[in-house]
């Protein structure tokens, strides 16, 4: 997991790498590309800060998509963002592959993103 969130995500059982020194959609965009290409796992998680621009981040992630790498973005849109920043909520919903509006149904997100073989 690559963590560039506002606060470090606390998951004790998950190996993570904290990305500091900027935002993954801007100053760290060039750094995230080789990190993703070197992943040797089935799934990865990139947690981004609330200041990340959804449009720019979508361009960065699109550059990483390939036959080997499938990228699915989940946009978590909370009530506060909907109320105080409706334009941002609309951008998140537009650029996210799976926009989830609060109250979040994480089971739906997992089923949509992780396709478990039957």
């Amino acid at each position: 997991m690559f963590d560039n969130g506002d606060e470090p995500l606390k998951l004790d059982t998950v190996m993570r790498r904290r990305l500091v020194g900027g935002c993954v959609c801007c100053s760290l965009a060039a750094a995230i590309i080789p990190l993703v290409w070197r992943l040797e796992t089935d799934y990865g998680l990139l947690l981004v800060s609330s200041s990340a621009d959804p449009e720019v981040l979508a361009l960065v992630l699109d550059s990483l998509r390939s036959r080997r790498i499938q990228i699915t973005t989940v946009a978590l849109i909370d009530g506060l963002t909907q109320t105080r920043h409706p334009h941002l909520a609309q951008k998140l919903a537009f650029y996210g592959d799976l926009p989830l509006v609060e109250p979040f149904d994480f089971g739906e997100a997992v089923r949509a993103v992780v396709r478990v073989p039957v």
Side-chain angles (χ1 to χ4, degrees):
M1 176 175 87
F2 301 111
D3 186 348
N4 187 235
D6 297 321
E7 295 291 324
L9 191 62
K10 293 171 179 52
L11 294 173
D12 295 334
T13 60
V14 175
M15 195 166 95
R16 68 181 180 89
R17 179 172 178 178
R18 181 90 172 128
L19 302 174
V20 296
C23 178
V24 293
C25 71
C26 308
S27 56
L28 293 176
I32 194 69
I33 293 170
L35 291 174
V36 171
W37 276 104
R38 286 195 305 259
L39 282 177
E40 293 186 18
T41 63
D42 291 331
Y43 299 98
L45 174 65
L46 170 63
L47 178 68
V48 300
S49 78
S50 60
S51 61
D53 183 326
E55 183 176 6
V56 176
L57 186 57
L59 290 172
V60 171
L61 295 176
D62 281 345
S63 74
L64 294 169
R65 285 187 168 101
S66 69
R67 286 183 176 212
R68 188 180 76 81
I69 298 174
Q70 173 190 332
I71 295 179
T72 304
T73 57
V74 179
L76 300 176
I77 306 168
D78 65 332
L80 188 61
T81 301
Q82 292 177 65
T83 303
R84 291 190 181 171
H85 308 285
H87 179 70
L88 176 58
Q90 289 175 338
K91 281 181 82 171
L92 288 166
F94 181 78
Y95 288 103
D97 296 317
L98 178 64
L100 294 179
V101 179
E102 194 173 39
F104 305 121
D105 179 357
F106 291 109
E108 174 188 346
V110 170
R111 285 187 298 278
V113 174
V114 179
R115 290 165 182 81
V116 180
V118 181

